[in-house]
Amino acid sequence: MTGKQRSYLRSLANRIPSIFQIGKNGLEPNSIKQFDEALEARELVKASVLRNAPLTAREAAESLAAELGAEVIQVLGNRFVLYRESKTNKVIELP
């Protein structure tokens, strides 16, 4: 992914709310499945990591990206943004 594409996705992510929170239980199989479904439906997903979580935002983002075949677009504080092109519901057109 090029810097221009990553920058474009970051600009889109500014306008979307965090739809997931990772708490004290960390990344469970059920939450990973929900991330997978959300990435397929939306392509761009923002999540936040609570203070009592065993993972940092970077660790959670990289772990999810590796498991789901997604790209880490941004990690900022306790939030992160993931992108994965949808197979059936392509919405975002990259420059």
Side-chain angles (χ1 to χ4, degrees), residues 16 19-20 35 38-39 42-47 80-82:
I16 64 173
I19 61 169
F20 289 108
F35 265 99
L39 281 168
R42 299 174 180 229
E43 294 184 316
L44 196 62
V45 174
K46 186 189 284 187
F80 63 91
V81 179
L82 296 178

Side-chain angles (χ1 to χ4, degrees), residues 1-94:
M1 177 169 288
T2 66
K4 186 175 184 178
Q5 292 170 331
R6 194 174 298 276
S7 175
Y8 174 70
L9 291 171
R10 275 198 305 264
S11 73
L12 292 178
N14 281 335
R15 295 181 287 239
I16 64 173
S18 293
I19 61 169
F20 289 108
Q21 289 184 332
I22 298 172
K24 66 181 178 183
N25 295 331
L27 293 173
E28 297 178 324
N30 189 33
S31 61
I32 293 172
K33 182 179 181 229
Q34 288 177 336
F35 265 99
D36 187 39
E37 292 169 356
L39 281 168
E40 185 60 35
R42 299 174 180 229
E43 294 184 316
L44 196 62
V45 174
K46 186 189 284 187
S48 60
V49 178
L50 301 178
R51 288 186 183 183
N52 62 352
L55 301 168
T56 66
R58 173 141 328 262
E59 292 168 344
E62 290 174 355
S63 174
L64 280 167
E67 182 131 357
L68 300 174
E71 291 271 344
V72 178
I73 299 303
Q74 183 177 33
V75 178
L76 191 60
N78 67 340
R79 294 200 164 123
F80 63 91
V81 179
L82 296 178
Y83 170 78
R84 184 180 72 192
E85 187 175 323
S86 176
K87 296 174 182 79
T88 59
N89 188 25
K90 185 141 175 55
V91 177
I92 300 172
E93 205 52 54
L94 293 175

